[in-house]
Amino acid sequence: MEDAGSLLVIVDAANVVGSVPDGWWRDRRGAAERLRDHLAAQGVPGHAGPVEIVLVVEGAARGVEPVPGVRVAAAPGSGDDHMVALVAEAGDRPVLVVTADRELRRRVEELGADVAGPRTVRPAPRRPGTD
C-alpha cells in the first residue's frame, strides 16, 4: 500500500468494462487487462498527486496480473463485498470508488468514500472485431 495520505482509487473492473457494449463478454479477462493498461498509462483524470489504483476483478477476470501503477485485487467471492472491505480497511485515507452500481455506491458512501462513474476512467470504446 502507498502513503496513508495518498488517494486510494478502487475500480470496479466488471462494472467499468461492462459499461460499454464493445464485445467485452467474449474475453472478460482481456477486457480487464485492457482497462488495467489504460489505468496504468492514463491514471485517474483530475487527480494529480499521489494516487494508488486498485483494480478489483472477479469471475472470469481473475488471474489478471498487476502492472506498475495498478494493483490488481482478485475478489475471493463477491467483488462488491471485496471493494467494501477495501474501503473499510482504508480508515481515514481518502478513497474514490469507480462504479455505477447503485447498491455498491450506497455501501461505500456510508463508509466515507467518494464515488465516480465509469466514464471517469473508461478508455474510448473499441469497435467489436478490432484489437
Side-chain angles (χ1 to χ4, degrees):
M1 235 185 234
E2 301 238 343
D3 161 10
S6 67
L7 176 65
L8 173 62
V9 179
I10 301 170
V11 179
D12 181 350
N15 192 268
V16 172
V17 164
S19 68
V20 176
D22 64 357
W24 59 263
W25 51 88
R26 289 189 291 270
D27 181 10
R28 293 170 194 258
R29 184 172 172 173
E33 289 171 339
R34 287 188 297 277
L35 175 58
R36 175 206 59 199
D37 295 347
H38 175 76
L39 291 166
Q42 301 299 317
V44 180
H47 294 280
V51 175
E52 178 186 7
I53 300 172
V54 179
L55 182 66
V56 176
V57 297
E58 60 187 310
R62 282 190 188 98
V64 170
E65 296 293 326
V67 296
V70 179
R71 180 165 56 105
V72 178
S78 160
D80 289 4
D81 290 347
H82 192 65
M83 286 179 271
V84 170
L86 290 172
V87 171
E89 291 169 8
D92 291 334
R93 183 176 183 190
V95 179
L96 174 67
V97 177
V98 180
T99 187
D101 182 303
R102 288 182 188 161
E103 177 61 14
L104 176 59
R105 291 173 71 99
R106 182 194 64 75
R107 291 173 67 192
V108 298
E109 284 175 337
E110 285 178 353
L111 295 172
D114 290 322
V115 180
R119 288 183 185 171
T120 305
V121 298
R122 187 177 63 209
R126 291 176 48 244
R127 289 191 304 227
T130 62
D131 284 324

